[in-house]
C-alpha cells in the first residue's frame, strides 16, 4: 500500500476573493505560488515557481479536468491538497473516485465521460487495424458508412456477433477468416462510440420556441 506524503500547508489561508470574476491573472499567480509554497513546506526543499505550477493554476481556473487527471494517480498528494484548498472540493484517495469527483466538479456528465472512454478504445483498435489490413483507411471508411446507414447496434446470437440496424438486419462479424471478423474489435468500438455520442446528444437541452425564433431571426 502506498504511503501518503505528509502535506504541510502555509499558515495563512488562501484568499478566496481572488477567485472572483475579473481577477484571473492575479488568481493564477496566487494559486501557482500556493502550490509552490506547499511543495516547499512538504518536502523541506526550496522550490522555484515554474510553468508546471502555473499550468496547474490555469487548469483549476478553467475547470479543465483533463489537465488535472494526474491528480487521480495517487502520486501527488500536495497538488490534491492545494486543489481542495482552492476549490473547496475534497478529493478521495482512490483513483476512480478522485477522477469522478474531478469530472463532476468540471461539469462533465457521465454520458460525456462515456464518450471519452469510447474514443480511447476506438483509437486503440484503430492502431491495431494497421497490422490487419493493407488499406486500413478504406476499412475504416466502410465502417463509418455502415454506421451512417443506420447499422449502429451489436447483436449477439449464440456464438455469433452481428452489426445490425433497428430491423435486426446486418452483417455477420463472426465468419472465421473474413475481413469483418478481423475488423470486429474496431467495429464494436466504433458502435460503442456512436451510441455514446448519441446519448450525449439526447441529453442536450432542446431550445425553446422563443430560442428557435431568435435563431431564425
Amino acid at each position: 500500500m502506498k504511503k501518503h506524503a505528509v502535506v504541510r500547508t502555509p499558515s495563512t489561508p488562501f484568499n478566496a476573493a481572488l477567485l472572483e470574476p475579473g481577477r484571473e491573472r492575479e488568481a493564477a499567480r496566487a494559486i501557482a505560488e500556493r502550490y509552490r509554497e506547499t511543495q516547499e513546506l512538504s518536502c523541506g526543499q526550496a522550490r522555484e515557481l515554474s510553468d508546471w505550477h502555473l499550468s496547474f493554476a490555469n487548469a483549476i481556473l478553467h475547470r479543465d479536468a483533463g489537465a488535472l487527471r494526474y491528480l487521480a494517480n495517487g502520486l501527488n498528494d500536495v497538488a490534491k491538497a492545494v486543489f481542495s484548498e482552492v476549490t473547496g472540493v475534497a478529493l478521495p484517495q482512490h483513483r476512480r473516485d478522485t477522477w469522478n469527483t474531478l469530472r463532476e466538479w468540471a461539469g462533465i456528465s457521465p454520458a460525456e465521460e462515456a464518450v471519452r472512454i469510447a474514443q480511447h478504445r476506438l483509437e486503440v483498435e484503430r492502431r491495431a487495424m494497421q497490422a490487419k489490413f493493407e488499406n486500413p483507411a478504406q476499412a475504416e471508411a466502410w465502417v463509418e458508412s455502415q454506421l451512417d446507414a443506420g447499422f449502429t447496434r451489436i447483436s449477439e446470437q449464440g456464438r455469433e456477433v452481428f452489426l445490425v440496424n433497428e430491423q435486426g438486419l446486418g452483417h455477420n462479424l463472426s465468419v472465421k477468416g473474413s475481413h469483418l471478423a478481423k475488423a470486429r474489435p474496431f467495429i464494436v468500438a466504433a458502435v460503442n462510440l456512436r451510441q455514446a455520442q448519441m446519448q450525449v446528444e439526447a441529453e442536450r437541452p432542446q431550445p425553446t420556441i422563443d430560442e428557435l425564433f431568435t435563431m431564425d431571426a
Side-chain angles (χ1 to χ4, degrees):
M1 181 179 294
K2 176 184 177 292
K3 183 178 180 180
H4 290 272
V6 176
V7 178
R8 295 181 173 87
T9 58
S11 57
T12 56
F14 179 78
N15 184 6
L18 292 172
L19 301 177
E20 295 175 357
R23 305 184 69 177
E24 288 80 7
R25 182 175 296 182
E26 189 179 1
R29 184 79 182 186
I31 295 170
E33 178 59 31
R34 193 73 171 185
Y35 186 10
R36 182 207 66 77
E37 188 177 358
T38 304
Q39 276 188 324
E40 190 170 271
L41 291 170
S42 299
C43 71
Q45 297 178 346
R47 294 294 179 99
E48 293 184 359
L49 192 66
S50 68
D51 289 342
W52 176 258
H53 299 117
L54 290 168
S55 295
F56 169 82
N58 284 314
I60 289 179
L61 292 174
H62 293 97
R63 289 184 178 262
D64 186 350
L68 295 169
R69 191 174 181 82
Y70 65 90
L71 297 183
N73 66 15
L75 301 176
N76 198 327
D77 291 334
V78 170
K80 288 179 69 173
V82 177
F83 172 91
S84 295
E85 181 184 16
V86 172
T87 65
V89 176
L91 294 178
Q93 290 187 2
H94 297 293
R95 290 186 180 187
R96 179 176 296 179
D97 293 339
T98 295
W99 171 244
N100 285 338
T101 299
L102 283 170
R103 176 178 59 74
E104 292 170 3
W105 164 77
I108 300 172
S109 70
E112 290 169 329
E113 172 66 355
V115 168
R116 184 194 67 79
I117 294 172
Q119 287 173 330
H120 173 72
R121 183 72 249 170
L122 183 63
E123 187 55 36
V124 170
E125 298 302 343
R126 178 178 285 114
R127 291 195 294 269
M129 286 259 287
Q130 306 300 314
K132 296 180 180 180
F133 292 90
E134 293 184 4
N135 192 339
Q138 185 179 52
E140 185 175 343
W142 182 87
V143 173
E144 286 296 320
S145 72
Q146 296 306 296
L147 293 175
D148 292 340
F151 295 90
T152 56
R153 298 183 180 183
I154 296 297
S155 174
E156 296 185 7
Q157 301 175 25
R159 295 185 177 182
E160 295 187 323
V161 178
F162 295 81
L163 172 66
V164 301
N165 57 17
E166 290 187 358
Q167 290 74 42
L169 303 175
H171 310 281
N172 190 338
L173 308 182
S174 302
V175 179
K176 189 174 181 179
S178 68
H179 289 314
L180 288 177
K182 289 193 294 183
R184 188 169 82 183
F186 178 83
I187 294 172
V188 172
V191 167
N192 289 339
L193 175 57
R194 183 65 65 93
Q195 289 179 342
Q197 291 170 330
M198 291 168 63
Q199 182 61 36
V200 169
E201 190 63 31
E203 293 181 2
R204 183 168 289 130
Q206 298 300 310
T208 64
I209 295 296
D210 290 340
E211 289 172 335
L212 287 172
F213 279 116
T214 301
M215 288 188 288
D216 291 339

